[in-house]
Protein backbone atom coordinates (compact mmCIF):
# COMPACT_ATOMS: atom_id res chain seq x y z
CA UNK A 1 0.00 0.00 0.00
CA UNK A 2 1.43 3.32 -1.08
CA UNK A 3 0.21 6.01 1.32
CA UNK A 4 2.00 8.91 -0.33
CA UNK A 5 1.14 12.60 -0.25
CA UNK A 6 3.00 14.91 -2.62
CA UNK A 7 4.47 18.13 -1.26
CA UNK A 8 5.32 20.41 -4.17
CA UNK A 9 8.37 22.37 -3.04
CA UNK A 10 12.02 22.84 -3.94
CA UNK A 11 12.79 23.98 -0.38
CA UNK A 12 14.40 21.16 1.59
CA UNK A 13 13.86 22.92 4.93
CA UNK A 14 10.11 23.20 4.27
CA UNK A 15 9.99 19.53 3.36
CA UNK A 16 11.95 18.50 6.45
CA UNK A 17 9.58 20.53 8.63
CA UNK A 18 6.57 18.78 7.11
CA UNK A 19 8.21 15.36 7.45
CA UNK A 20 8.80 16.04 11.14
CA UNK A 21 5.13 16.94 11.65
CA UNK A 22 3.98 13.74 9.90
CA UNK A 23 6.31 11.47 11.89
CA UNK A 24 4.47 8.50 13.41
CA UNK A 25 1.59 8.65 10.93
CA UNK A 26 0.88 6.23 8.09
CA UNK A 27 1.28 9.02 5.56
CA UNK A 28 4.53 9.25 3.63
CA UNK A 29 5.42 12.67 2.22
CA UNK A 30 7.10 12.79 -1.16
CA UNK A 31 8.90 15.96 -2.24
CA UNK A 32 8.32 17.05 -5.83
CA UNK A 33 10.23 19.95 -7.35
CA UNK A 34 7.76 21.48 -9.78
CA UNK A 35 7.79 25.11 -10.84
CA UNK A 36 4.25 26.39 -10.41
CA UNK A 37 2.86 29.63 -11.85
CA UNK A 38 2.32 32.42 -9.32
CA UNK A 39 -0.62 34.71 -9.96
CA UNK A 40 -0.22 38.39 -9.15
CA UNK A 41 -2.34 38.83 -6.04
CA UNK A 42 -2.05 40.66 -2.74
CA UNK A 43 -3.49 37.55 -1.06
CA UNK A 44 -1.00 34.81 -0.20
CA UNK A 45 -3.99 32.46 0.13
CA UNK A 46 -5.05 33.07 -3.48
CA UNK A 47 -1.48 32.49 -4.68
CA UNK A 48 -1.20 29.17 -2.82
CA UNK A 49 -4.66 27.99 -3.90
CA UNK A 50 -3.94 28.64 -7.56
CA UNK A 51 -0.55 26.92 -7.41
CA UNK A 52 -2.02 23.86 -5.66
CA UNK A 53 -4.86 23.58 -8.15
CA UNK A 54 -2.47 23.88 -11.08
CA UNK A 55 -0.02 21.32 -9.65
CA UNK A 56 -2.73 18.77 -8.82
CA UNK A 57 -3.99 18.91 -12.40
CA UNK A 58 -0.48 18.64 -13.84
CA UNK A 59 0.37 15.60 -11.71
CA UNK A 60 -3.17 14.20 -11.57
CA UNK A 61 -2.60 13.64 -7.86
CA UNK A 62 -3.58 15.34 -4.60
CA UNK A 63 -0.88 17.79 -3.55
CA UNK A 64 0.02 20.33 -0.92
CA UNK A 65 1.66 23.67 -1.68
CA UNK A 66 2.85 26.24 0.84
CA UNK A 67 3.48 29.94 0.39
CA UNK A 68 4.32 32.82 2.68
CA UNK A 69 4.18 36.59 2.71
CA UNK A 70 6.50 38.88 4.71
CA UNK A 71 4.60 41.94 5.95
CA UNK A 72 6.74 44.77 7.33
CA UNK A 73 4.38 46.91 9.40
CA UNK A 74 6.32 50.17 9.02
CA UNK A 75 6.21 49.76 5.21
CA UNK A 76 2.44 49.20 5.08
CA UNK A 77 2.84 45.46 4.66
CA UNK A 78 5.52 45.55 1.94
CA UNK A 79 6.66 43.20 0.38
CA UNK A 80 3.83 40.84 1.38
CA UNK A 81 3.29 37.89 -0.99
CA UNK A 82 5.78 39.38 -3.46
CA UNK A 83 8.72 38.48 -1.21
CA UNK A 84 10.18 35.98 -3.71
CA UNK A 85 10.46 38.59 -6.44
CA UNK A 86 11.55 41.44 -4.18
CA UNK A 87 14.36 39.28 -2.80
CA UNK A 88 15.68 38.98 -6.35
CA UNK A 89 15.85 42.79 -6.63
CA UNK A 90 16.59 44.00 -3.10
CA UNK A 91 19.88 43.66 -1.28
CA UNK A 92 20.17 43.70 2.50
CA UNK A 93 21.19 47.36 2.29
CA UNK A 94 18.07 48.18 0.28
CA UNK A 95 15.87 46.85 3.08
CA UNK A 96 17.92 48.66 5.72
CA UNK A 97 17.71 51.94 3.80
CA UNK A 98 13.93 51.62 3.51
CA UNK A 99 13.72 51.27 7.29
CA UNK A 100 15.77 54.37 8.12
CA UNK A 101 13.95 56.42 10.73
CA UNK A 102 11.38 53.68 11.38
CA UNK A 103 10.94 52.72 15.03
CA UNK A 104 8.48 49.89 14.40
CA UNK A 105 10.56 47.02 13.00
CA UNK A 106 7.88 44.32 13.32
CA UNK A 107 7.52 41.73 10.56
CA UNK A 108 4.63 39.31 10.38
CA UNK A 109 5.05 36.22 8.23
CA UNK A 110 1.70 34.99 6.96
CA UNK A 111 2.04 31.27 6.26
CA UNK A 112 -0.38 29.41 4.01
CA UNK A 113 -0.88 25.77 3.02
CA UNK A 114 -3.20 24.76 0.18
CA UNK A 115 -4.29 21.13 -0.25
CA UNK A 116 -5.94 20.16 -3.53
CA UNK A 117 -7.33 17.09 -5.28
CA UNK A 118 -7.55 17.28 -9.08
CA UNK A 119 -10.86 18.84 -10.15
CA UNK A 120 -11.69 19.89 -6.59
CA UNK A 121 -11.38 23.22 -4.83
CA UNK A 122 -8.33 23.78 -2.64
CA UNK A 123 -8.60 23.62 1.13
CA UNK A 124 -6.54 26.35 2.81
CA UNK A 125 -4.84 26.58 6.20
CA UNK A 126 -3.22 29.77 7.45
CA UNK A 127 -1.01 30.80 10.34
CA UNK A 128 1.56 33.42 11.22
CA UNK A 129 4.98 34.01 12.77
CA UNK A 130 6.16 37.29 14.28
CA UNK A 131 9.59 38.82 14.36
CA UNK A 132 11.52 42.01 13.69
CA UNK A 133 13.90 43.41 11.13
CA UNK A 134 17.53 43.60 12.20
CA UNK A 135 19.45 46.86 11.93
CA UNK A 136 22.38 45.09 10.28
CA UNK A 137 22.93 41.96 8.24
CA UNK A 138 23.54 38.52 9.68
CA UNK A 139 25.74 35.96 7.93
CA UNK A 140 25.91 36.35 4.15
CA UNK A 141 23.84 33.29 3.36
CA UNK A 142 20.26 32.80 2.25
CA UNK A 143 18.07 35.56 0.89
CA UNK A 144 18.28 39.21 1.89
CA UNK A 145 15.27 38.88 4.18
CA UNK A 146 16.74 35.77 5.83
CA UNK A 147 19.81 37.83 6.69
CA UNK A 148 17.56 40.37 8.43
CA UNK A 149 14.53 38.56 9.85
CA UNK A 150 14.85 37.90 13.60
CA UNK A 151 12.17 35.42 14.71
CA UNK A 152 10.28 36.13 17.92
CA UNK A 153 12.21 34.61 20.83
CA UNK A 154 15.60 35.10 19.14
CA UNK A 155 18.05 37.98 19.00
CA UNK A 156 19.80 37.07 15.72
CA UNK A 157 18.55 36.69 12.11
CA UNK A 158 17.62 33.35 10.53
CA UNK A 159 20.98 33.22 8.74
CA UNK A 160 22.71 33.01 12.15
CA UNK A 161 20.51 30.18 13.48
CA UNK A 162 21.48 26.51 12.83
CA UNK A 163 19.30 24.74 10.27
CA UNK A 164 18.23 22.03 12.72
CA UNK A 165 17.02 24.69 15.16
CA UNK A 166 15.07 26.49 12.45
CA UNK A 167 13.40 23.23 11.40
CA UNK A 168 12.28 22.82 15.01
CA UNK A 169 11.08 26.46 15.09
CA UNK A 170 9.07 26.26 11.86
CA UNK A 171 7.61 22.86 12.79
CA UNK A 172 5.91 24.47 15.80
CA UNK A 173 3.78 26.50 13.40
CA UNK A 174 0.10 25.76 13.29
CA UNK A 175 -0.69 25.22 9.62
CA UNK A 176 1.07 21.89 9.02
CA UNK A 177 -0.18 20.51 12.35
CA UNK A 178 -3.73 21.67 11.63
CA UNK A 179 -3.56 20.16 8.16
CA UNK A 180 -2.35 16.83 9.55
CA UNK A 181 -5.25 16.76 12.03
CA UNK A 182 -7.70 17.66 9.27
CA UNK A 183 -6.37 14.92 7.00
CA UNK A 184 -6.40 12.23 9.68
CA UNK A 185 -9.78 13.08 11.20
CA UNK A 186 -11.96 14.23 8.29
CA UNK A 187 -15.12 12.12 8.08
CA UNK A 188 -14.48 10.67 4.63
CA UNK A 189 -10.75 10.11 5.10
CA UNK A 190 -9.44 6.59 4.57
CA UNK A 191 -5.94 5.39 3.93
CA UNK A 192 -7.22 4.09 0.60
CA UNK A 193 -7.77 7.71 -0.53
CA UNK A 194 -4.02 8.17 -0.31
CA UNK A 195 -3.12 5.19 -2.50
CA UNK A 196 -1.41 7.38 -5.05
CA UNK A 197 1.06 6.29 -7.65
CA UNK A 198 4.60 7.10 -6.41
CA UNK A 199 6.45 9.60 -8.57
CA UNK A 200 10.07 8.70 -9.24
Amino acid sequence: MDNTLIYVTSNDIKFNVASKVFTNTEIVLLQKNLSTPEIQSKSVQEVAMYSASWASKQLNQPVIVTDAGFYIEALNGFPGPFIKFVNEWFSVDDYINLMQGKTNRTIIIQDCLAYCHPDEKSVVFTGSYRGKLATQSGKKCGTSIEQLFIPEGYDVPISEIPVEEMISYWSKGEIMTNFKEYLLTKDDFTIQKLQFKRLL
Side-chain angles (χ1 to χ4, degrees):
M1 186 178 293
D2 185 11
N3 304 322
T4 303
L5 178 62
I6 299 171
Y7 186 2
V8 177
T9 181
S10 60
N11 188 311
D12 291 338
I13 292 179
K14 285 185 177 182
F15 181 73
N16 288 335
V17 167
S19 295
K20 184 172 182 177
V21 172
F22 275 89
T23 299
N24 299 323
T25 71
E26 295 180 319
I27 298 171
V28 177
L29 290 183
L30 177 67
Q31 183 177 9
K32 180 68 175 177
N33 186 354
L34 178 67
S35 180
T36 59
E38 292 192 16
I39 61 172
Q40 298 304 302
S41 171
K42 292 182 180 179
S43 167
V44 68
Q45 291 92 343
E46 289 181 1
V47 174
M49 287 174 65
Y50 183 88
S51 295
S53 178
W54 183 90
S56 69
K57 289 179 172 63
Q58 289 293 310
L59 299 174
N60 196 30
Q61 307 242 11
V63 305
I64 57 174
V65 172
T66 53
D67 207 341
F70 282 66
Y71 298 82
I72 301 174
E73 288 188 349
L75 300 179
N76 298 316
F78 176 86
F82 307 109
I83 183 68
K84 175 181 175 181
F85 303 105
V86 173
N87 274 335
E88 294 176 0
W89 303 325
F90 275 32
S91 67
V92 170
D93 288 340
D94 290 327
Y95 279 110
I96 291 174
N97 289 337
L98 280 177
M99 292 296 291
Q100 283 186 0
K102 308 289 187 184
T103 56
N104 179 5
R105 307 191 71 84
T106 300
I107 306 178
I108 297 174
I109 300 179
Q110 188 175 103
D111 213 9
C112 181
L113 180 151
Y115 168 59
C116 191
H117 283 260
D119 303 318
E120 292 185 17
K121 189 174 180 179
S122 299
V123 179
V124 178
F125 301 81
T126 59
S128 63
Y129 299 89
R130 294 181 65 88
K132 62 183 180 180
L133 200 73
T135 56
Q136 60 183 19
S137 170
K139 289 182 179 177
K140 304 291 185 182
C141 61
T143 64
S144 298
I145 202 71
E146 287 171 341
Q147 295 175 46
L148 289 171
F149 175 67
I150 301 175
E152 194 169 55
Y154 290 83
D155 56 10
V156 294
I158 289 175
S159 61
E160 298 277 353
I161 303 171
V163 172
E164 296 78 10
E165 192 170 344
M166 284 310 304
I167 289 174
S168 177
Y169 171 80
W170 296 123
S171 66
K172 294 175 184 175
E174 56 200 46
I175 64 165
M176 194 62 71
T177 298
N178 289 346
F179 168 63
K180 180 186 74 172
E181 307 226 340
Y182 161 83
L183 195 63
L184 296 178
T185 61
K186 61 188 300 221
D187 291 341
D188 61 346
F189 173 79
T190 63
I191 290 299
Q192 284 72 29
K193 286 189 70 175
L194 290 177
Q195 291 180 340
F196 308 142
K197 181 175 68 177
R198 184 180 297 277
L199 296 184
L200 300 178

